[in-house]
Amino acid sequence: MTTKLANLNTYKLSKRTIGTASWEARVTTIGEIAPDILTLQEVIVDETQPVDVWGADASAVIQQLAADTGLNATTIRTDGTPGPTAMANNHARGWYTAILWRPDTVTPVPGGYRPYGAPDFWHGLTTMQFDLGSDEPIVIGSYHGDPFRPDFRANEALRLKSVFRQTGSPKPGLLLGDFNALSAATVPGPDGEQYYDAEPYLDQDHDDLEYQLVEGTIGTTQLADRRQTEALLRRGYMVDAASHLGVPWQATAGHWADGQGDPDPWGARRIDLVYATRPVVPALVSYRTHTSPAAKRAADHLPVICEIDPSRIVRVADVGPGGQG
């Protein structure tokens, strides 16, 4: 029995979108995927409201989406009582990440929810522990990378690693999200190792290049800054599920023309990623990008889907540093 995980940046999902055509497109997309666990980014609130009402507004949106898709978003406290909605922001911005799940296929671990905010992340990181029937709980993270500062993304990556850290090897886990940057994963090429994601910015000329390029390369080599995921990949701490499984490359953003959403000078690129920690690597079964008509209408990011076989997750005690069991 496999477990299906999916990620979707929902493009500014808010109270105002409930019941609209775009809301229905998101609901349809999630129904098409039928995930066991769904990670979300870009649930937003009106930041002109008092800060103390932001959480209630974001929770209402997430809970309505859960109800409309047959999923759950209510955490369980250590004592077994219902807890808050599984979401996080950075306490200074009204942009939330969240995790939803199918209650008849996966089981949240009581007390296994933790939100991370400022100063660790520009957008909040939501984490949950789930019992998937393997020897140890699995940690799931919903992440939204800093869109403007490559050095902050690199710093966030170290904090991300710490969330999965324990002595001997990382905890079993998967990190899904809108990383707002390209992956540093490599694959064999005709001339040796090459990036799974080719350089997309070589011929671009616009003001936003400084948010994505290695400092000092604008106007010359124009190389993507990949320090964020270089840290995650170091010594096999995590793998990029798409490159590891060798699936054909697909863009996750760039399908919306300017004017349909926010201006997009970047073109087609893959910034919505799934990363698996070392104990989960043997459990990776499949990966794909969901490209249905509903998905293309739903958001400016396409969902990515990953399936794992929990029975193949390796116990941390059996995994050596830098290697697989």
Side-chain angles (χ1 to χ4, degrees):
M1 178 81 66
T2 61
T3 299
K4 184 188 296 183
L5 302 99
N7 183 80
L8 174 62
N9 177 315
T10 60
Y11 185 68
K12 300 181 181 178
L13 193 71
S14 69
K15 272 187 165 182
R16 294 185 294 106
T17 65
I18 295 174
T20 64
S22 66
W23 177 275
E24 293 306 319
R26 297 174 180 106
V27 170
T28 297
T29 299
I30 295 167
E32 291 170 344
I33 297 169
D36 298 299
I37 299 173
L38 174 67
T39 52
L40 300 178
Q41 299 82 46
E42 264 191 48
V43 177
I44 68 170
V45 301
D46 179 358
E47 292 181 342
T48 65
Q49 297 182 103
V51 173
D52 58 4
V53 304
W54 287 6
D57 271 13
S59 175
V61 175
I62 294 164
Q63 291 289 352
Q64 186 62 57
L65 185 65
D68 288 357
T69 56
L71 302 176
N72 192 11
T74 301
T75 61
I76 304 174
R77 296 188 175 94
T78 305
D79 64 5
T81 60
T85 298
M87 64 185 195
N89 72 326
N90 77 355
H91 308 300
R93 294 297 313 277
W95 293 51
Y96 289 75
T97 61
I99 300 177
L100 289 72
W101 58 93
R102 192 167 302 282
D104 57 345
T105 59
V106 298
T107 304
V109 174
Y113 157 66
R114 184 170 177 184
Y116 295 81
D120 297 311
F121 298 101
W122 172 248
H123 291 300
L125 169 73
T126 304
T127 67
M128 289 277 293
Q129 291 185 23
F130 291 93
D131 181 356
L132 303 183
S134 52
D135 290 338
E136 299 169 85
I138 187 168
V139 179
I140 304 298
S142 176
Y143 169 63
H144 194 176
D146 188 311
F148 302 119
R149 295 167 291 192
D151 55 336
F152 270 53
R153 289 195 295 270
N155 187 279
E156 287 180 347
L158 297 180
R159 187 66 178 103
L160 287 168
K161 290 179 75 172
S162 77
V163 171
F164 295 90
R165 180 185 179 275
Q166 62 184 0
T167 302
S169 186
K171 301 171 185 175
L174 290 122
L175 176 65
L176 303 89
D178 170 9
F179 283 63
N180 267 319
L182 300 187
S183 175
T186 59
V187 293
D191 300 315
E193 289 293 303
Q194 64 184 41
Y195 284 126
Y196 178 73
D197 295 271
E199 298 286 351
Y201 309 124
L202 299 177
D203 300 319
Q204 294 187 12
D205 181 16
H206 53 78
D207 291 334
D208 292 342
L209 285 171
E210 59 193 342
Y211 303 139
Q212 289 292 320
L213 295 187
V214 173
E215 186 175 359
T217 70
I218 298 175
T220 57
T221 52
Q222 305 219 146
L223 302 178
D225 190 307
R226 305 177 193 246
R227 287 175 294 166
Q228 172 200 49
T229 54
E230 283 174 352
L232 300 179
L233 293 164
R234 192 172 298 129
R235 299 180 71 248
Y237 199 87
M238 295 182 180
V239 302
D240 181 320
S243 65
H244 179 78
L245 291 171
V247 301
W249 185 91
Q250 284 185 283
T252 65
H255 58 282
W256 274 14
D258 289 354
Q260 185 173 358
D262 292 331
D264 179 5
W266 306 112
R269 57 187 182 145
R270 188 184 72 106
I271 57 176
D272 303 86
L273 311 173
V274 179
Y275 274 70
T277 64
R278 195 177 294 140
V280 179
V281 173
L284 291 172
V285 173
S286 69
Y287 175 97
R288 64 184 176 89
T289 303
H290 189 65
T291 61
S292 74
K296 291 179 179 178
R297 293 193 306 270
D300 59 344
H301 293 246
L302 292 169
V304 290
I305 303 165
C306 177
E307 288 186 282
I308 63 169
D309 180 351
S311 69
R312 289 159 52 184
I313 295 175
V314 180
R315 293 189 312 122
V316 168
D318 297 332
V319 183
Q324 300 174 17

